[in-house]
Amino acid sequence: MGSRTFRAVVVLLLALLVAPAQAASAAPFTPGSPGLGDPYFPLAGNGGYDVVHYSLVFAYDPATRLFDGTATITATATQDLSRFDLDLRGFEIGRLTVNGAAAAFTRDGQELIITTAAGLPAGSVFTVVVGYAGVPEVITDPDGSIEGFVPTEDGAFVVGEPQGSPGWYPANDNPRDKATYDFTATVPAGLTVLANGVLAARTESAGHTTFVWRATSPMAPYLATATLGRFDLTQYTLSSGIPAYVAIDPRLPTGNVLRKLPDIVEFYASIYGPYPFEAVGAIVDDAPDVGYSLETQTKPVFYRMPDEETLAHELSHMWYGDSVTLTEWPDIWLHEGFATWSEWIWSEHLGHKSAHNWFKTLYNTPPQDTAFWTPPPGNPGSPAFLFNGTIYYRGAMTLQALREKIGDAAFFEIMRRWASEHRYGNVTTPQFVALAEQVSGQQLDQFFEVWLYRPEKPTVW
Ligand SMILES: [Zn+2]
């Protein structure tokens, strides 16, 4: 503390000696950093500002795969900014303005680097408009899966975890920068667009349909969707008053699983606390090339008709993943372990296999089966293992082992407080450990060390 003050005084004296004429002038405006330093995706997101709202307007034609969009981004500068980046992959930029004035820009990989005519003072709110067009690039992840604005036979399957959003809109693509969104999407008549939030308008004109969706709760950029194609859309209201939108690709075999959605949501609300968002639902598409489903906020998107476990899994993510979101990607077990354990508690609630028995079945996996036990859920080790089975299964086993160690009363209090105290926020594993210790009154360092960080099968905890 003392040495820092001393250094500041020396710097100030030197500044006065060297350049007395400039001593009174403001510090220079500086560029925002090109990334936020995530251990796995260091360039995802950008420094120097915080997005408040995205307004995404676009037209898309599945026949040409041409996307023509205008993004209006409202943000607050968090430093005196001379320059800042957005994340965007591909596309030709048509116009780019900041506060209504044309701004210079360059491209470097996923960085769209914008220099404003005048600097943006810290604390000021500014508006960026980006006109962009082209065929969206599908993004391949470190684990080989694809994401972004992925074409399907009749439209597009739109998913962004962990880095697909810049494949269809300019974003501050980091889970720490949550914002509200609205979407205005125009497609050929006969197609339906399903984006996050509530359907505000649907209008027809000249062979096209325009859908307006409003997402009014804070959302991490990777959870945005605007999946489109042929869909049968059903709207209803849960008994809690929340509007539900269920869209099913008519090519899929019909099933009854989506009828369970209200019961699943109401069950989770009873144990985790109130449903966090303005809408709920499901988008059931036919996208075999994608091969995974995602908890896009308010409306999880499924690549095929889900089974009941998968439906429950994605809906539970509304609490753990979407509302309560990791700060950095290596903490992904805070999403996937929680959602997998949520499948088990739904099964237990129905009187089917209990969470204890799910745990027991998996715990019987021999220690030599290192592919099952490694990497440990708290440290995937590489972005290629973010969605590895251990993150899901050992992550869920961690929660069940915790439940059995501290008892149901403390465990469910932890789950509820985790959801309510961090609603719309970002979290870390040490915060979860601290809450578990506080509520249970137990010292749990060793427990979490064994379950989350040791590569071998836990034996004593
Ligand atoms: Zn999941």
Side-chain angles (χ1 to χ4, degrees), residues 161 293-295 310 313-314 316-317 320 332 335-337 339-340 343 387 392:
E161 189 184 34
S293 301
L294 185 67
E295 61 269 27
T310 307
H313 177 108
E314 304 303 346
S316 74
H317 271 309
Y320 307 117
I332 188 69
H335 299 187
E336 301 307 344
T340 304
E343 295 175 39
F387 303 103
Y392 292 68

Side-chain angles (χ1 to χ4, degrees), residues 217 242 273-278 318-319 323 423-424:
S217 304
I242 293 163
Y275 179 77
F277 302 125
E278 67 278 4
M318 297 304 112
W319 284 262
S323 172
R423 190 174 167 105
Y424 308 145

Side-chain angles (χ1 to χ4, degrees), residues 76-87:
T76 307
T78 55
Q79 70 184 58
D80 288 335
L81 270 179
S82 60
R83 195 178 86 195
F84 64 94
D85 291 10
L86 289 165
D87 300 307

Side-chain angles (χ1 to χ4, degrees), residues 171-231:
N172 193 29
D173 189 28
N174 186 285
R176 279 144 62 183
D177 192 359
K178 297 189 178 190
T180 54
Y181 285 68
D182 61 66
F183 307 84
T184 303
T186 300
V187 289
L191 303 186
T192 301
V193 183
L194 288 317
N196 313 85
V198 172
L199 183 60
R202 172 183 187 150
T203 53
E204 310 278 342
S205 95
H208 288 82
T209 312
T210 298
F211 292 82
V212 179
W213 293 90
R214 291 194 203 294
T216 53
S217 304
M219 179 163 78
Y222 80 90
L223 294 169
T225 191
T227 293
L228 60 98
R230 260 178 249 291
F231 285 100

